[in-house]
Amino acid sequence: MTSSDYDPASEGAETDFARRMSYGNYLALDAILGAQHPLSEAHDEMLFIIQHQTTELWMRLAIHELSAARRAIAKDEVAPAMKMLARMSRIFEQLNNAWDVLRTMTPSEYTRFRSQLGQSSGFQSRQYRLIEFLLGNRNHAMLKPHAHDVETTKLLESELATPSLYDEVLRLADRNGLKMPAAVLARDVRETHSFNEGVLQAWRIVYEAPETHWMLYELAEKLVDFEDYFRRWRFNHVTTVERVIGFKRGTGGTGGVSYLKRMLEVELFPELWRVRTIL
């Protein structure tokens, strides 16, 4: 018997799915694979659509992991949170690799269908906005692109009223003997956390004696590891956009590259980056 004649049913593989759960059923593949609807005849529009759809799928998982990690940290369940944060880094590694595929599209190829996008733009992604809010970058101006969508606005407003991941980490540290400034612990969580000297000095204690504060030290490094990947994702976004459209304005009306470069300046966990300077 050659390999082409092999029948997996001979070893017990199920092949009748008339009344059973199949691979396609479980994954709802008809819906997923039927969700690509190019608006032009341009060959590369399919690449553009799938790139962004798969990004949204990875972001769906990122929200799942970040939300669970935050809940775990709030309950002092640090070990599972560590696993989730490690997975977040791997998720953003996948998102970083995806830019390499999109970069195979040249400016000439993108021009053939760009007009079909209208005013749609990635900065309108509600999932990306939710991730930013979860991580503590709480720019209220970014609620405006979602004002037309009541459910999305409600979702984002609810997130703004919830302590961010970093807020919960700072509260965890305080509960474990690393005194955090009272003003930081009691701050309005709807606003973005800004650099605080007291928080910096608290983390300095951890980094000067990691063997004494190993749990907090390891957690801090997991956060830095994740933000490292997140920064690379933003940088790759800038590079890809400049490579494809140069310094044209974005389809959503932003400055394009200039807007994305401003995002590179955002620090999610500022004290964890600056503590390295004072050690």
Side-chain angles (χ1 to χ4, degrees), residues 14-147:
E14 184 58 63
T15 58
D16 181 2
F17 295 98
R19 295 181 178 81
R20 293 179 173 86
M21 175 71 77
S22 71
Y23 176 79
N25 295 149
Y26 178 72
L27 296 177
L29 290 182
D30 285 347
I32 293 173
L33 299 179
Q36 294 75 46
H37 305 289
L39 299 179
S40 75
E41 297 298 319
H43 174 79
D44 294 272
E45 189 177 359
M46 182 65 81
L47 161 63
F48 189 84
I49 290 171
I50 290 177
Q51 157 82 16
H52 288 82
Q53 287 181 339
T54 53
T55 292
E56 290 290 335
L57 283 172
W58 281 118
M59 286 184 177
R60 176 70 183 85
L61 180 57
I63 292 167
H64 177 69
E65 298 295 338
L66 281 174
S67 299
R70 178 172 58 181
R71 290 192 299 270
I73 289 168
K75 295 187 292 185
D76 295 313
E77 297 173 356
V78 178
M82 296 280 200
K83 174 68 180 295
M84 295 161 192
L85 290 173
R87 182 174 291 167
M88 281 298 303
S89 295
R90 301 288 82 76
I91 290 170
F92 270 82
E93 183 176 22
Q94 292 297 314
L95 288 170
N96 270 305
N97 291 337
W99 289 123
D100 292 337
V101 183
L102 191 61
R103 287 193 192 109
T104 64
M105 181 177 64
T106 68
S108 300
E109 290 163 345
Y110 182 46
T111 301
R112 291 170 187 162
F113 67 88
R114 188 180 190 231
S115 63
Q116 301 296 329
L117 274 63
Q119 282 70 55
S120 64
S121 174
F123 85 89
Q124 300 157 9
S125 166
R126 70 175 184 179
Q127 291 202 124
Y128 175 69
R129 193 56 47 205
L130 186 58
I131 289 171
E132 288 272 8
F133 284 3
L134 266 160
L135 294 171
N137 183 21
R138 301 186 159 192
N139 182 355
H140 292 227
M142 299 313 296
L143 288 169
K144 294 177 184 177
H146 307 286

Side-chain angles (χ1 to χ4, degrees), residues 27 43 63 65 149 160 183 186 241 268-270:
L27 296 177
H43 174 79
I63 292 167
E65 298 295 338
D149 186 332
L160 284 176
V241 169
L268 299 172
F269 318 123

Side-chain angles (χ1 to χ4, degrees), residues 26 40 43 46 136 145-146 153 169 193 204 209 227 231 251 259:
Y26 178 72
S40 75
H43 174 79
M46 182 65 81
H146 307 286
T153 299
V169 169
H193 168 78
R204 181 177 190 167
E227 187 171 358
R231 286 184 176 188
T251 50
Y259 164 75

